[in-house]
């Protein structure tokens, strides 16, 4: 077991693609997971998530093997495990529920990175864990100086995505002061911008980011260019067939990029074409759910088009056009009401 886990971990760590080997390790590991130590279970699932290599049977089997043994996991093992399932977009509600309970009892043992990773993973997986987030916020407050810039951004984004108020974290000037002192990567700035949007969404009065940093966050968020997928192009083609004159990659005042915007029922409707990366199972990821929520809060009428609904329509153009016609009518009716 140790050799299987270490081999998968090594290839993932070096970024060396080895799909045949990882497939073989997954097959070999499943019947032997009872012999894996907690570190080996955590390293294995981390490796597959890091390599971006799908192994659903292995991940399902690790859930069964890990849940009864979570007391044996170190804080880092717990954090890495929940991070892996969130990163792989592999639904594992039983495991996340169990980790939420196990983590709350042991947060004093978590370092700052473990706290940030755990919080981010639950929000990314869109898995509700209010007691855990409340406890993480309380544990983080006296240790905020230990958080890296990425950790601070992850914490801000986590609570925004979960829409979980954390006055202990954000109502004082400590958090924004630390942000003003740190140097953030573009991805961190984008997360902080969504935290700012959450403040506007909530009408919250906690201290905002300094204006210069807030502008850098907005600029970083708005600089991401959307790239139309094949799925999106197909949806847009159907909108064109309906003579709706879709505008593609529309930038909102908040900085979000919309896949398409059409006029329907006398108002603009934003259409978001969501492929597999937008879901954990059939549940929208934290990033997708946050975008939808903040767009609606800004007054947008929104029509999400999940990939599985579109794929189920097949190749019949008339069926696809009718799907869009009906769903647009539903959106217009809801917003009119």
């Amino acid at each position: 077991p140790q050799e299987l886990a270490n081999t998968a971990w090594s290839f993932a760590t070096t970024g060396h693609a080895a799909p045949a080997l990882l497939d073989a390790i997954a097959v070999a590991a499943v019947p032997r997971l009872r012999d894996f130590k907690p570190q080996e279970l955590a390293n294995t699932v981390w490796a597959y998530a890091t390599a971006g290599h799908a192994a659903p049977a292995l991940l399902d089997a690790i859930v069964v093997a890990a849940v009864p043994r979570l007391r044996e996991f170190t804080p880092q093992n717990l954090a890495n495990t929940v991070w892996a399932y969130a990163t792989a977009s592999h639904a594992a509600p039983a495991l996340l529920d169990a980790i939420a309970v196990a983590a709350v009892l042991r947060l004093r043992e978590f370092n700052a990175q473990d706290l940030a990773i755990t919080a981010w993973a639950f929000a990314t997986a869109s898995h509700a864990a209010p007691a855990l987030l409340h406890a993480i916020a309380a544990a983080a407050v006296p240790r905020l100086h230990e958080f890296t810039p990425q950790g601070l951004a992850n914490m801000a984004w986590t609570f925004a995505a979960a829409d979980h108020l954390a006055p202990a974290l954000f109502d004082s000037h400590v958090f924004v002061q630390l942000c003003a002192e740190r140097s953030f990567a573009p991805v961190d700035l984008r997360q902080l911008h969504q935290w700012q949007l959450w403040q506007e969404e909530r009408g919250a009065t906690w201290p905002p980011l300094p204006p210069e940093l807030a502008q850098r966050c907005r600029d970083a968020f708005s600089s991401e260019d959307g790239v139309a997928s094949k799925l999106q192009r197909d949806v847009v083609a159907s909108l064109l067939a309906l003579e709706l004159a879709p505008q593609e990659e529309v930038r909102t005042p908040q900085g979000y990029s919309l896949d398409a915007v059409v006029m329907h029922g006398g108002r603009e409707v934003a259409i978001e074409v969501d492929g597999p990366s937008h879901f954990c199972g059939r549940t929208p990821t934290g990033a997708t759910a946050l975008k939808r929520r903040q767009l609606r809060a800004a007054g947008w009428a929104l029509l999400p088009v999940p990939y599985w609904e579109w794929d189920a329509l097949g190749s019949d153009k008339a069926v696809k056009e009718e799907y869009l016609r009906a769903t647009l009518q539903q959106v217009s009716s809801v917003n009119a009401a």
Side-chain angles (χ1 to χ4, degrees):
Q2 184 179 17
E3 292 158 354
L4 290 171
N6 286 353
T7 302
W9 180 91
S10 297
F11 276 84
T13 301
T14 58
H16 187 94
L21 175 62
L22 291 178
D23 282 342
I25 288 175
V27 172
V30 168
R32 303 177 61 186
L33 288 178
R34 290 183 180 179
D35 299 326
F36 278 57
K37 296 176 181 177
Q39 178 80 50
E40 292 155 5
L41 291 171
N43 283 356
T44 299
V45 71
W46 179 93
Y48 280 82
T50 300
H53 188 89
L58 174 62
L59 267 60
D60 285 340
I62 287 177
V63 169
V64 176
V67 167
R69 303 179 60 189
L70 289 179
R71 290 183 180 179
E72 304 171 37
F73 281 57
T74 66
Q76 185 180 28
N77 293 158
L78 292 172
N80 284 352
T81 298
V82 72
W83 175 90
Y85 280 87
T87 300
S89 295
H90 187 94
L95 177 65
L96 268 61
D97 282 342
I99 288 178
V101 173
V104 166
L105 300 174
R106 301 176 56 189
L107 285 182
R108 291 183 180 179
E109 303 170 36
F110 280 56
N111 62 30
Q113 183 177 2
D114 296 334
L115 290 172
I117 288 174
T118 301
W120 176 91
F122 274 85
T124 296
S126 286
H127 190 89
L132 174 63
L133 290 184
H134 181 76
I136 286 176
V141 169
R143 306 174 62 180
L144 276 177
H145 289 81
E146 301 172 26
F147 282 74
T148 63
Q150 182 183 25
L152 290 172
N154 281 351
M155 291 291 282
W157 181 88
T158 289
F159 286 89
D163 197 21
H164 185 99
L165 291 177
L169 266 181
F170 303 128
D171 278 12
S172 77
H173 288 271
V174 176
F175 181 82
V176 295
Q177 182 60 41
L178 285 171
C179 288
E181 296 169 358
R182 305 296 177 88
S183 177
F184 291 95
V187 64
D188 303 328
L189 293 172
R190 290 193 281 270
Q191 287 186 313
L192 286 174
H193 179 66
Q194 290 180 296
W195 177 76
Q196 293 182 112
L197 293 178
W198 182 44
Q199 185 180 30
E200 296 172 13
E201 178 188 352
R202 278 283 192 168
T205 58
W206 61 69
L209 294 175
E212 187 274 335
L213 176 56
Q215 188 59 51
R216 284 197 292 119
C217 291
R218 178 176 290 276
D219 291 344
F221 191 78
S222 300
S223 67
E224 273 196 306
D225 293 325
V227 179
S229 64
K230 180 181 178 181
L231 178 67
Q232 180 179 328
R233 292 195 298 271
D234 194 28
V235 172
V236 168
S238 294
L239 293 170
L240 287 167
L242 290 170
E243 300 183 349
L244 289 171
Q247 302 176 62
E248 294 187 73
E249 304 304 332
V250 174
R251 185 72 61 181
T252 75
Q254 297 168 298
Y256 276 115
S257 177
L258 304 174
D259 292 339
V261 174
V262 299
M263 287 296 299
H264 190 272
R267 67 173 302 178
E268 288 186 316
V269 177
I271 298 174
E272 284 288 284
V273 184
D274 294 331
S277 65
H278 290 267
F279 298 92
C280 187
R282 292 289 177 89
T283 301
T285 63
T288 299
L290 176 60
K291 181 178 182 179
R292 292 180 183 180
R293 196 187 78 225
Q294 292 189 331
L295 287 172
R296 288 181 173 123
W300 281 94
L302 181 63
L303 170 59
V305 180
Y307 72 95
W308 68 83
E309 289 187 8
W310 191 256
D311 289 347
L313 302 175
S315 58
D316 191 319
K317 293 182 180 180
V319 172
K320 291 177 178 179
E321 291 166 20
E322 180 55 34
Y323 168 90
L324 289 173
R325 186 183 291 109
T327 51
L328 280 167
Q329 185 59 46
Q330 289 174 7
V331 170
S332 297
S333 299
V334 168
N335 282 273

